[in-house]
Amino acid sequence: MEIEAKRWGFRGKQELNAASASTVRGYLNQIIARINKDNSSSVIRLGHGDPSHFPSFKTTPAAEDAIVDALRSAKHNCYAPSAGVLPARRAIADYLNRDLPCKLSPDDVYLTSGCNQAIEVAINVLSRPGANILLPRPGFPYYESCSAYNHLEVRHYDLLPEKGWEVDLDAVETIADENTVALVIINPGNPCGNVFSYEQLHKVAETARKLGILVISDEAYDNLAFGSTRYVPMRVLGSTVPVLTLGSISKRWIVPGWRLGWIVTSDPNSILKKSGVIDSIAEFLNVSSDPATFIQNSRHFL
């Protein structure tokens, strides 16, 4: 018998439609849905960004052995602390500490389910009514998606192709205002493949400091640099401006399905602590999901 109701009290969330549509997956799904199923021609998916899908790209045996050892030990089947297990956070801090003038501690490291969740953490923590964030164009669409979902206004600055995809700092100063919370850079670049020089990063840091905003540095492709420009992490300038570094094991180790990322605070002047950002990161992780504990404890290949 059909149930009659005067009014159903639930409905879908409209914000998710707009947020999902602007992701890489959302674009690809729209394209795939338009493929003529009656056409027998083979489809070459040029939008496939996961090299591990192809048998010629495999991670190092050391990484596989670390996973197997952690799993078989039966020591890592439990829940993990919301910030991540201490040995993994220490290993990531040590990995990122190379060439840093101000060394990171495990307390500066928060583990996430891949770099995408690190983006979610940063955007959720910084969003507030009336705030805006500066994103690169071209860039990684997930930032737009998270910002739209959190009602954080997006303002785009251009990357300049004639200057090796440098940040247009004049545009940054033009579009920023008193409600701007952060500037996002992606280094090495996605999708442009550029690598910022130290001189360019120093100018970015000085501009952000002048505007009173922090820098979110997406370094998912860290150390994957070719050519004459050496990869320099934005966190070397943490004494100039507060930096949130986002990263993961997905790209360098070709294991995106393992879902282990991080958000790291580089802030020797304790500006993020005083502003409450550190506490907000910890509080957000208290109400979100964690990377698998045995993956966190497979840190030995870092």
Side-chain angles (χ1 to χ4, degrees):
M1 177 175 145
E2 186 177 350
I3 300 175
E4 294 289 339
K6 183 177 181 180
R7 182 184 66 84
W8 295 113
F10 52 84
R11 62 182 179 183
K13 193 167 187 176
Q14 296 300 314
E15 290 90 339
L16 286 172
N17 296 336
S20 175
S22 61
T23 64
V24 173
R25 289 179 178 177
Y27 289 131
L28 286 175
N29 288 339
Q30 291 179 51
I31 293 171
I32 292 170
R34 287 167 171 76
I35 293 176
N36 184 356
K37 295 180 175 57
D38 296 327
N39 190 328
S40 60
S41 301
S42 60
V43 176
I44 301 175
R45 299 194 177 188
L46 298 178
H48 209 311
D50 182 358
S52 63
H53 178 80
F54 305 98
S56 55
F57 294 96
K58 302 180 82 171
T59 193
T60 170
E64 297 173 338
D65 292 342
I67 291 290
V68 172
D69 291 345
L71 191 57
R72 286 181 172 169
S73 73
K75 296 178 181 179
H76 311 300
N77 297 328
C78 54
Y79 293 117
S82 57
V85 300
L86 179 59
R89 289 158 55 210
R90 181 180 293 115
I92 291 169
D94 291 343
Y95 168 71
L96 297 178
N97 265 335
R98 293 169 298 177
D99 301 323
L100 284 189
C102 300
K103 299 302 182 183
L104 301 169
S105 78
D107 291 337
D108 299 317
V109 179
Y110 303 84
L111 302 189
T112 59
S113 296
C115 195
N116 272 12
Q117 193 192 25
I119 296 172
E120 293 169 13
V121 173
I123 297 300
N124 272 273
V125 164
L126 295 173
S127 60
R128 66 171 189 264
N132 65 77
I133 190 169
L134 310 184
L135 302 183
R137 182 172 51 199
F140 183 48
Y142 199 63
Y143 285 95
E144 279 86 354
S145 300
C146 287
S147 298
Y149 184 70
N150 286 280
H151 305 289
L152 180 61
E153 180 191 350
V154 168
R155 297 183 180 181
H156 289 102
Y157 66 87
D158 288 329
L159 300 178
L160 304 173
E162 68 276 10
K163 294 185 177 181
W165 303 104
E166 286 187 359
V167 174
D168 186 346
L169 292 174
D170 291 335
V172 167
E173 294 201 45
T174 298
I175 63 177
D177 61 20
E178 67 277 6
N179 293 315
T180 304
V181 294
L183 165 73
V184 174
I185 66 168
I186 304 175
N187 183 41
N190 178 15
C192 299
N194 58 299
V195 180
F196 291 124
S197 66
Y198 175 83
E199 291 74 21
Q200 170 72 175
L201 294 178
H202 186 267
K203 292 178 183 178
V204 169
E206 290 289 352
T207 300
R209 180 176 182 173
K210 176 182 177 182
L211 296 171
I213 61 178
L214 63 83
V215 175
I216 299 173
S217 185
D218 185 324
E219 300 178 7
Y221 290 89
D222 70 331
N223 291 293
L224 295 178
F226 306 93
S228 59
T229 304
R230 184 173 67 92
Y231 163 72
V232 178
M234 185 71 206
R235 56 188 172 274
V236 302
L237 294 159
S239 59
T240 302
V241 66
V243 177
L244 297 182
T245 298
L246 315 184
S248 76
I249 64 172
S250 299
K251 310 304 183 186
R252 192 175 186 189
W253 285 276
I254 321 178
V255 287
W258 290 7
R259 310 311 299 144
L260 179 61
W262 51 79
I263 181 168
V264 175
T265 60
S266 302
D267 182 33
N269 298 315
S270 300
I271 298 171
L272 296 177
K273 180 68 176 176
K274 295 172 185 175
S275 64
V277 170
I278 299 292
D279 289 340
S280 292
I281 291 173
E283 289 159 358
F284 182 87
L285 292 173
N286 282 339
V287 295
S288 65
S289 58
D290 312 318
T293 308
F294 74 91
I295 297 289
Q296 295 187 42
N297 281 282
S298 306
R299 62 195 179 278
H300 307 293
F301 63 89
L302 284 172

